[in-house]
Amino acid sequence: MSSTERFLCEAIALARDNIREGGRPFGAVVVRDGEVIARGVNEMHRTNDPTAHAELLAIRAAGQALGTLRLDGCAVYASGNPCPMCLATMRIAGVREVAYAYSNQDGEPYGLSTAAIYAELAKPFSEQSMKIDYVPVRPEGEADLYEAWRATSAK
């Protein structure tokens, strides 16, 4: 068995345990240099938090364990196809490798596919079903928000 298959089996085992706890069939592990840094399962059912996806919780735990926002050199192994939110988070964190065991096609008959969200996000803002507006508000008499941040972070 390859290391990819071994880590995917661990993610699937986490997902199966989560099903037994009343959760959704999603588990994830974050790995660096062949070592599991963090694990996560979908906790939406426990927290009523729509962002409590297995991948996000594993990424949060990995950041805490490593003491950094950057997960360069890490890989994520997930039981299911990562949703756009999870995939974007992985990119922001610097994850360079992702593997998953169950596809959106596998999940579609069970209402577990995020393919429609991917398709929606591929459209320009003006064509998406969610109203998204750029409104360039700049409160008078205040420093530019981003400039204020740069001035503070440069210290």
Side-chain angles (χ1 to χ4, degrees):
M1 175 183 296
S2 73
S3 61
T4 296
E5 291 169 326
R6 183 168 43 93
F7 293 129
L8 286 173
C9 283
E10 182 169 346
I12 292 168
L14 289 167
R16 288 188 189 281
D17 288 345
N18 202 44
I19 292 170
R20 285 189 278 280
E21 297 292 323
R24 298 176 70 138
F26 300 109
V29 295
V30 177
V31 175
R32 185 172 73 180
D33 298 328
E35 179 185 339
V36 175
I37 303 298
R39 295 168 177 84
V41 296
N42 186 294
E43 294 186 4
M44 291 169 43
H45 68 292
R46 286 192 196 113
T47 62
N48 294 314
D49 176 355
T51 70
H53 291 200
E55 299 91 335
L56 285 186
L57 296 178
I59 289 166
R60 289 174 187 160
Q64 291 294 312
L66 297 173
T68 180
L69 296 172
R70 299 293 304 168
L71 298 180
D72 299 304
C74 290
V76 174
Y77 298 89
S79 59
N81 191 122
C83 76
M85 174 180 64
C86 292
L87 194 60
T89 301
M90 291 177 211
R91 288 183 179 273
I92 290 167
V95 170
R96 294 277 185 225
E97 183 180 336
V98 180
Y100 57 93
Y102 285 78
S103 70
N104 272 324
Q105 290 172 320
D106 296 328
E108 181 67 36
Y110 307 96
L112 298 173
S113 174
T114 57
I117 298 170
Y118 274 105
E120 179 79 3
L121 291 174
K123 298 176 184 176
F125 283 170
S126 63
E127 295 176 21
Q128 292 186 25
S129 60
M130 176 188 289
K131 184 176 186 283
I132 304 170
D133 288 327
Y134 169 61
V135 182
V137 173
R138 305 297 185 268
E140 194 173 318
E142 294 184 22
D144 179 79
L145 185 62
Y146 292 171
E147 189 58 43
W149 172 78
R150 181 171 44 180
T152 302
S153 65
K155 293 179 182 176

